[in-house]
Amino acid sequence: AIIVTVPLGVLRAPAGSTGAIRFAPRVHDVERAAGALVHGPLFKLLLRFREAFWSSGNRRRHRGFGFAHLPGGAVPTWWPSAPVDSGVLTGWAGGPLAEELSAIPPEVRRARALDSLQRLFGTPRSTLEELLEDEAHHDWQADPYARGGYAVTPVGSLGAARVLARPVAETLFFAGEHTHTGGQAGTVHGALETGERAARDCLDALRARPRAR
Ligand SMILES: Cc1cc2nc3c(=O)[nH]c(=O)nc-3n(C[C@H](O)[C@H](O)[C@H](O)COP(=O)(O)OP(=O)(O)OC[C@H]3O[C@@H](n4cnc5c(N)ncnc54)[C@H](O)[C@@H]3O)c2cc1C
C-alpha cells in the first residue's frame, strides 16, 4: 500500500517532468479529478528595510498595522513581522497577479513591489530604495516539487476532492490539502486531517487483507 501526499501541482505534472509520478496501470479517476482542480499560483516577497519606515516620522498612524490590502497593486497584500519589531515586510500575491510576478525578472518585481508600498504608505520610491537592505522572492510556481501554492476548486469541481480522497483498489491512498472534502483545502490543518484519514484508510485496508500462510 502507498500513501501519496505530493501537492496537486505535482500530481498534475506532465509525465516525464521533474517530480512527476507515473502510475502503472494509470488511475484515470484520479487523473480526471486532479485535472478538474487548479493548483493556484502564489508569490511572496520579503523585503528587509533598515527601519520600520511605515511607523516612523509622520507615518506613526501606520504603527502596529497587521494586514494591508492595496486594490489594484501589483503586490496587493502586505504584513509586518509582528509581534517581532523589525523592518521586514512580506508582500503576497495570488492568482493571475502571482503568475505575472513569476514571469518577470527580479528587478522588475522589486520595482513593482516598491511602487505598491509607495501607494500604500505614501513613502517616496527613492526613500524606499535607499532603505531597502535585503530581499527574498519565493516563487512556488518555479519549484518543481510544489508547482503552485494550494488547490483552488473551480465552479463545477466540488466532487473532485471526494474522488481523490477515495482509496484506489485498497492499495493507493491520497492525502494532502487538495484531498480535503470538508472545505479546508489550502490550509495546514486541512492537510493534517487528510493525512490522518489516509493513514486510517490504509490501516483498515491492510487489516482486511487475508493473511499469508
Ligand atoms: C505562500 C503560502 C502561504 C500559506 N499560508 C497559509 C496559512 O497562513 N495558513 C494555512 O493553514 N495554510 C497556509 N498555506 C497552505 C499550506 O501551506 C498548505 O495547505 C499545506 O502545507 C499543504 O500540505 P500538504 O502536505 O498537502 O503539501 P506540502 O506541504 O506541499 O507537502 C508535500 C510534500 O511533497 C513533496 N514532494 C513533491 N513532489 C514530490 C515527489 N515527486 N516525490 C516525493 N516528494 C515530493 C514536497 O517537497 C513537499 O514536502 C499557505 C501556502 C502557501 C504556498
Side-chain angles (χ1 to χ4, degrees), residues 11-31:
L11 204 53
R12 291 166 48 101
S17 58
T18 306
I21 297 176
R22 190 170 65 86
F23 294 96
R26 284 175 65 178
V27 278
H28 294 287
D29 283 358
V30 170
E31 281 178 28

Side-chain angles (χ1 to χ4, degrees), residues 27-179:
V27 278
H28 294 287
D29 283 358
V30 170
E31 281 178 28
R32 264 193 300 274
L37 296 172
V38 171
H39 202 44
L42 273 192
F43 208 104
K44 227 172 177 181
L45 288 126
L46 278 89
L47 303 184
R48 194 182 80 214
F49 296 94
R50 198 164 59 244
E51 61 187 57
F53 64 87
W54 56 92
S55 61
S56 59
N58 59 3
R59 281 178 210 87
R60 279 174 205 280
R61 67 182 188 281
H62 297 303
R63 187 188 295 269
F65 92 96
F67 222 69
H69 292 285
L70 179 70
V75 184
T77 308
W78 291 91
W79 62 88
S81 60
V84 176
D85 229 1
S86 80
V88 175
L89 283 178
T90 299
W92 182 100
L97 288 176
E99 274 176 339
E100 264 181 66
L101 291 171
S102 292
I104 55 180
E107 59 278 11
V108 181
R109 213 181 279 145
R110 179 192 314 119
R112 291 194 186 173
L114 294 181
D115 281 345
S116 296
L117 288 177
Q118 176 176 0
R119 277 185 52 205
L120 195 58
F121 295 112
T123 308
R125 244 309 270 286
S126 53
T127 308
L128 293 172
E129 273 163 17
E130 199 259 315
L131 287 174
L132 184 62
E133 285 186 332
D134 204 359
E135 63 196 294
H137 300 196
H138 297 279
D139 182 355
W140 272 271
Q141 292 62 251
D143 178 346
Y145 299 103
R147 294 177 179 265
Y150 40 76
V152 176
T153 306
V155 173
S157 300
L158 265 182
R162 272 198 297 279
V163 175
L164 292 175
R166 218 183 278 149
V168 178
E170 302 304 316
T171 304
L172 271 180
F173 303 86
F174 291 85
E177 54 87 18
H178 52 287
T179 70

